[in-house]
Amino acid sequence: MTMDSTALHADLTSGDVAYPLDPLTGEEIEAAATIVTDSEYATPTLRFVMIQLAEPAKRPELTFEGVTDIPRQAFITAYDPAAKALYEAIVDLQARLITSWKLIPGRFPSYLVEWMTGVEEKVREDSRWQEAMRKRGVTDFDLAMIDPWPAGYYGPQDHYDNSPLVCRPLTFVRAAPSEHGYARPVEGLIVTFDLGKMEVIDVEDHGAVPLPPKAGNYTEKFMFDEDNRPAFTEFRSDVKPIEITQPDGPSFTVDGWKVQWQKWSMRVGFNPREGIVLHEITYTDRGEVRPIIYRASLSEMVVPYGDSSPTHWNKNVFDMGEVGMGFSANPLTLGCDCLGEIYYFDATVNDSSGNAVTIPNAICMHEEDYGISWKHTDFRTEEVEVRRARRLVISMICTVGNYEYGFFWYFYNDASMEVEVKLSGVLTTGAVPDGETPRWGKMVAPNIYGPNHQHFFSFRLDMSIDGAGNSVYEVDSIPEPDPALNPHHNAWITRETLVESEAAGARDWDWKTGRYWKIANPNKYNELGSPVAYKLTPREMVPVMVQEGSYIYDRARFVQHNLWVTKYDPAERFAAGDYMYQSADMQGLPCYIADDAPLENSDLVLWYTVGAHHVVRPEDWPVMPCAYNGFHLKPVGFFDGNPALDIPPSPPAACHHH
């Protein structure tokens, strides 16, 4: 069942008042663009990169409930290719005024939407590219698939002052229309493309490698490849339907963008850069609404490649900061992307002319059964008590070129939270001649290899554990250090280390001590006399292969530590900085901690790095099964006991047996 989400957005023309954190409506996006277009700042070549809500300043109360006098404002990023100038603007939508217009010198914007398709058309027309394709036996250029990869950074020639805004497209060739193009990478061909002038600057050809012979199809449309070999023989016949039903409807309620589920409450948001943003996450404990996180979102991601060959070494893409997760969000499909009693949120973004573009069903929300929450059998009385766990799922799935990224926020009825990243899609591939083995990757099919690479995601968590005054402790489990207290050599303790200031705020996990991080409120205590707290625990940890001396090292310093802790600053939103396109300098988190602000009993932000280490397998081809990673947030002394005691027993009719 799909629940209607078409009435989510407030209509300013009808007199409705939007909540201050609600995303901009389509009408607001277009109104903001019109105000700029009609202003003295407009030029014939000005383009809108992103138009999104200018979020109001955080209030001490950590909520805007009951507040009605905050003006709706739009934050605009605009780029003028003719002037090679990037601007930031704040537009007051009620007053229809531009309250701030600022030139951002020395920076380039993220992708404009039309570049994703416009680059492909222009590259196909270039005679140098066509000549290189003929050398490889390709004459039907319409079968070429050209991905406009962000430029990365080659060296000083790519610096803003003496470089155009460029991308470096990669070429693949389909064997037939709609066929799997990534199965035929054009190795050794590097195109440099001027995004300002929309023309090819240069074509480098490092030598032709034969196109791989085998198709990589994965749908029934291409049951057989060009040699009449089956991609797969037939669909499995023993997969029986699973139906998820909630006869009384879901347990959550939705009011605009506000979601309440059991004891959880939060406000869902969305913007072109971050995609899903969650605000005002609270939990009601015995009638008291207790804040946990003020704002949570993906902050940045980067995909560094570990291949030194000419076509691959410079691939270090910031898919969020250089492209935009919100722009990349999929319209989700009931029964495929999401299963069960679903509530969809539509998302609204902008095109470069300032028109509103709706992504239907961009955010999926539903409930899932999650096995046993708790159970105990009293073997003396044979009394059994068991409760089933349930979780609320808020998710989006983004396609960036060849890859799919799923971002899942889970809320459990034991007051814990989880963030999970699911990685799928298609490998970006390279080609090798017959008999050659790639040094910096693994073969996935004849003459096709997947380069070694990693994915890193930084999540920004503006914490508010029972209020804004929080402290972070690093908690290690160690053997009892006093030999006199450990005569049997079995005792161990936990050691808590306060993260006192930002200079010490970059932290690393240690498997030897089972390390986790505790976020405590030193102003609030549980009945045992301990500060109330949540703890952050990792899932799978990933070694960082980005090496000092590489261009990507400084550009993506956030990957060098698992956790960063900073003092709240509304200007510090993105782990690698606001604008990293074609920039070699260090931005983001290393700069945020440079002032060494004190962190104890303060308004804190946690930045947690999730990594995926990808040494590819043949089983990842032609489309990759989901890989998973993430982290947990669990109460540790936040409550006076198990918060899931009040989960009602499941009725016997809900269980089936044969």
Side-chain angles (χ1 to χ4, degrees):
M1 176 179 178
T2 307
M3 305 179 71
D4 185 17
S5 62
T6 58
L8 286 173
H9 307 290
D11 182 354
L12 295 182
T13 61
S14 69
D16 293 336
V17 178
Y19 193 79
L21 298 173
D22 285 353
L24 294 183
T25 67
E27 292 85 353
E28 289 175 317
I29 288 171
E30 294 183 351
T34 299
I35 292 166
V36 170
T37 302
D38 292 344
S39 76
E40 61 186 294
Y41 303 109
T43 68
T45 52
L46 190 70
R47 297 290 179 264
F48 295 99
V49 183
M50 292 185 184
I51 304 175
Q52 58 191 291
L53 177 71
E55 294 183 11
K58 186 196 298 188
R59 303 176 71 237
E61 296 84 356
L62 301 174
T63 182
F64 291 92
E65 292 290 346
V67 179
T68 59
D69 59 351
I70 295 178
R72 294 280 285 175
Q73 296 187 110
F75 174 68
I76 297 177
T77 310
Y79 182 66
D80 189 337
K84 205 165 73 169
L86 177 66
Y87 302 98
E88 289 180 354
I90 301 292
V91 175
D92 187 318
L93 294 166
Q94 268 80 18
R96 300 189 65 82
L97 291 174
I98 299 174
T99 59
S100 173
W101 183 270
K102 182 169 62 173
L103 173 68
I104 309 298
R107 300 296 181 199
F108 282 125
S110 56
Y111 267 21
L112 297 177
V113 173
E114 67 263 25
W115 290 345
M116 300 302 290
T117 54
V119 170
E120 187 168 49
E121 296 172 6
K122 292 294 184 180
V123 171
R124 279 202 189 100
E125 297 170 0
D126 186 82
S127 60
R128 293 163 292 181
W129 176 87
Q130 291 180 356
E131 179 184 356
M133 296 301 287
R134 290 190 186 98
K135 289 180 180 178
R136 292 160 170 81
V138 178
T139 56
D140 186 350
F141 303 136
D142 288 337
L143 292 176
M145 193 174 76
I146 301 159
D147 283 3
W149 275 61
Y153 185 79
Y154 271 103
Q157 71 274 11
D158 282 344
H159 186 61
Y160 181 92
D161 291 335
N162 59 6
S163 170
L165 173 59
V166 299
C167 71
R168 292 191 169 91
L170 299 177
T171 304
F172 305 84
V173 180
R174 302 181 191 271
S178 299
E179 200 253 3
H180 185 7
Y182 294 109
R184 291 182 174 85
V186 177
E187 191 65 46
L189 183 61
I190 302 173
V191 178
T192 303
F193 190 93
D194 187 331
L195 291 167
K197 297 179 180 179
M198 290 301 289
E199 64 183 28
V200 176
I201 297 174
D202 187 31
V203 176
E204 301 175 41
D205 193 342
H206 293 264
V209 175
L211 295 176
K214 187 175 180 181
N217 299 309
Y218 51 88
T219 68
E220 69 275 20
K221 182 178 180 180
F222 291 100
M223 187 71 78
F224 297 92
D225 64 19
E226 69 277 11
D227 296 322
N228 205 36
R229 293 174 296 191
F232 55 90
T233 53
E234 61 183 11
F235 286 113
R236 303 179 190 189
S237 60
D238 56 351
V239 180
K240 305 302 182 184
I242 292 179
E243 295 184 2
I244 298 174
T245 61
Q246 294 181 271
D248 297 328
S251 302
F252 55 74
T253 61
V254 182
D255 181 10
W257 292 89
K258 182 177 182 179
V259 173
Q260 292 180 286
W261 178 73
Q262 297 190 24
K263 299 182 176 185
W264 288 101
S265 177
M266 68 208 69
R267 302 201 69 94
V268 179
F270 190 94
N271 65 57
R273 180 164 179 165
E274 298 164 289
I276 290 176
V277 178
L278 299 179
H279 271 105
E280 297 185 12
I281 301 173
T282 67
Y283 194 88
T284 300
D285 174 30
R286 294 172 290 190
E288 179 187 0
V289 177
R290 304 178 68 184
I292 296 173
I293 299 177
Y294 177 74
R295 189 184 194 275
S297 68
L298 177 69
S299 165
E300 189 51 84
M301 65 165 291
V302 67
V303 190
Y305 276 72
D307 186 335
S308 283
S309 57
T311 323
H312 304 286
W313 77 268
N314 65 304
K315 290 155 61 174
N316 301 289
V317 185
F318 296 86
D319 284 336
M320 182 179 141
E322 294 181 327
V323 179
M325 280 297 115
F327 282 135
S328 306
N330 290 184
L332 300 176
T333 306
L334 184 66
C336 300
D337 297 303
C338 306
L339 188 63
E341 188 99 3
I342 307 299
Y343 189 99
Y344 286 115
F345 293 90
D346 296 343
T348 308
V349 296
N350 62 281
D351 66 16
S352 64
S353 299
N355 299 307
V357 178
T358 298
I359 304 173
N361 300 351
I363 301 174
C364 169
M365 184 172 69
H366 67 288
E367 294 176 273
E368 291 179 345
D369 180 271
Y370 199 65
I372 294 174
S373 175
W374 56 267
K375 177 176 181 174
H376 182 61
T377 299
D378 188 325
F379 70 89
R380 293 179 177 83
T381 65
E382 297 186 355
E383 293 179 352
V384 180
E385 290 288 343
V386 60
R387 302 291 187 272
R388 293 201 65 78
R390 192 179 296 188
R391 67 184 182 186
L392 179 71
V393 184
I394 300 175
S395 65
M396 71 174 180
I397 299 174
C398 304
T399 298
V400 186
N402 54 296
Y403 247 94
E404 264 72 24
Y405 300 105
F407 299 98
F408 290 73
W409 297 81
Y410 300 129
F411 298 86
Y412 295 88
N413 49 11
D414 65 354
S416 63
M417 283 179 58
E418 183 182 6
V419 176
E420 184 174 66
V421 181
K422 299 182 182 181
L423 300 90
S424 186
V426 178
L427 304 171
T428 182
T429 52
V432 292
D434 287 336
E436 186 172 312
T437 300
R439 181 174 180 83
W440 302 292
K442 299 295 182 185
M443 300 296 292
V444 296
N447 302 100
I448 305 174
Y449 80 98
N452 298 336
H453 64 281
Q454 297 182 299
H455 305 254
F456 292 101
F457 308 84
S458 175
F459 287 89
R460 181 182 182 274
L461 307 172
D462 183 351
M463 303 303 296
S464 57
I465 302 297
D466 250 2
N470 289 180
S471 299
V472 172
Y473 296 87
E474 192 165 79
V475 184
D476 294 305
S477 297
I478 60 172
E480 169 58 61
D482 186 345
L485 300 177
N486 193 16
H488 307 293
H489 306 286
N490 69 317
W492 55 278
I493 63 172
T494 58
R495 179 183 61 203
E496 297 189 0
T497 304
L498 174 68
V499 182
E500 295 182 349
S501 70
E502 288 182 331
R507 313 303 302 175
D508 295 307
W509 187 69
D510 187 347
W511 72 271
K512 296 187 300 294
T513 63
R515 179 171 291 170
Y516 63 87
W517 294 278
K518 185 170 74 172
I519 310 98
N521 187 328
N523 311 294
K524 303 284 183 67
Y525 291 83
N526 58 30
E527 69 176 7
L528 302 176
S530 300
V532 298
Y534 264 68
K535 68 175 181 178
L536 189 155
T537 59
R539 281 177 58 173
E540 181 180 342
M541 303 304 295
V542 171
V544 178
M545 295 289 120
V546 175
Q547 300 154 42
E548 190 169 4
S550 66
Y551 288 119
I552 194 62
Y553 182 86
D554 280 335
R555 300 180 70 221
R557 281 284 185 99
F558 72 89
V559 309
Q560 297 299 327
H561 298 284
N562 304 118
L563 180 75
W564 301 70
V565 186
T566 64
K567 189 168 184 176
Y568 171 76
D569 183 332
E572 297 175 354
R573 287 268 294 273
F574 305 112
D578 293 345
Y579 303 103
M580 71 289 301
Y581 202 106
Q582 278 175 241
S583 176
D585 60 333
M586 185 170 61
Q587 300 181 62
L589 281 166
C591 301
Y592 300 162
I593 68 172
D595 60 352
D596 194 20
L599 297 178
E600 186 175 6
N601 197 11
S602 186
D603 192 355
L604 300 183
V605 176
L606 270 58
W607 313 70
Y608 185 73
T609 306
V610 172
H613 186 73
H614 203 173
V615 179
V616 304
R617 316 168 294 156
E619 290 84 356
D620 292 329
W621 186 257
V623 64
M624 190 176 91
C626 273
Y628 307 86
N629 206 348
F631 62 94
H632 292 263
L633 282 166
K634 297 183 178 182
V636 51
F638 191 80
F639 302 98
D640 293 332
N642 182 351
L645 284 181
D646 57 355
I647 298 175
S650 301
C655 304
H656 302 272
H657 69 278
H658 294 286

